[in-house]
Amino acid sequence: DVQNLHEMFNALFSSILKDILMIAGIMAVLLMLDARLSLACFAVLPFLVLSAMLFSSFSRRAFREVRIKIAAINSMIQESIAGLSVLKVFCREHEHDRNFQRLNFENYQANMRQTTVFAIFSPVVDLTRLIVMGIIVWYGGLRTLDGAMSIGTLVVFLYYMRMFFRPIQDMTEK
């Protein structure tokens, strides 16, 4: 178990480091290509960072609650198997069944809350990505029409900004 935890933390650390380096690299390339368009695109990042921090907080709480409920269910099952004869002697099967049904429903609710948190965050990232793409097409298109930027730079911006949002979403989910 300790070895598995060690490997998980190493993989998590290297994955987060890779995502951070990828984000920094993409930002550097975009700033070198066109600083004005880059800054216009990065204007949405504070909203994205704030929503990622909120998501992290809510998802951590929801994940912890699910883990607690699963542990309680496992404990109850183990106790039920070990104490089956005692349950039968005292005729407590129906009460035990009701307690298990309640605990199982609480687990269901905790899983639904966790699913809701993930279901809300993903569209927020997608909406932010679409807003940034709109900024690139609108502002970059105006700069292209003015001759301040080439059409190739505009296409590269669209491509790199698509790549930019994947590591952000990955980091937040981890």
Side-chain angles (χ1 to χ4, degrees):
D1 287 342
V2 173
Q3 182 63 28
N4 288 340
L5 284 173
H6 177 70
E7 288 176 18
M8 181 195 70
F9 282 118
N10 281 342
L12 183 68
F13 177 73
S14 65
S15 178
I16 288 177
L17 182 63
K18 175 193 67 104
D19 289 340
I20 289 172
L21 290 174
M22 187 167 191
I23 290 169
I26 290 171
M27 288 176 84
V29 167
L30 291 177
L31 284 167
M32 285 190 297
L33 285 174
D34 192 304
R36 284 185 178 177
L37 185 56
S38 298
L39 294 176
C41 292
F42 298 154
V44 197
L45 290 183
F47 170 74
L48 187 62
V49 169
L50 178 65
S51 62
M53 289 170 49
L54 284 171
F55 168 75
S56 272
S57 172
F58 287 122
S59 69
R60 197 174 13 255
R61 196 174 311 133
F63 182 75
R64 190 174 302 125
E65 185 180 358
V66 167
R67 293 288 121 210
I68 288 169
K69 296 301 179 189
I70 289 174
I73 286 174
N74 288 337
S75 173
M76 184 177 239
I77 289 172
Q78 193 277 330
E79 288 174 6
S80 299
I81 292 171
L84 188 59
S85 59
V86 175
L87 280 173
K88 286 186 178 225
V89 166
F90 290 106
C91 298
R92 307 278 291 185
E93 296 100 338
H94 295 294
E95 183 180 328
H96 185 70
D97 186 49
R98 280 193 305 273
N99 288 339
F100 183 77
Q101 293 299 328
R102 178 191 48 79
L103 190 57
N104 194 36
F105 184 69
E106 290 173 3
N107 179 49
Y108 166 76
Q109 289 176 320
N111 275 291
M112 290 307 293
R113 281 190 287 276
Q114 183 181 28
T115 301
T116 302
V117 168
F118 278 93
I120 290 171
F121 180 69
S122 188
V124 167
V125 172
D126 287 341
L127 178 65
T128 307
R129 182 179 53 82
L130 290 174
I131 289 171
V132 169
M133 293 298 186
I135 290 171
I136 292 171
V137 169
W138 174 71
Y139 187 65
L142 289 176
R143 289 183 48 79
T144 302
L145 291 175
D146 290 343
M149 186 171 75
S150 72
I151 190 80
T153 304
L154 182 63
V155 170
V156 168
F157 253 89
L158 288 169
Y159 178 74
Y160 272 106
M161 284 311 285
R162 252 188 34 212
M163 287 176 41
F164 180 79
F165 280 90
R166 187 70 229 156
I168 290 174
Q169 195 163 10
D170 287 345
M171 261 189 349
T172 307
E173 288 174 3
K174 289 173 188 138

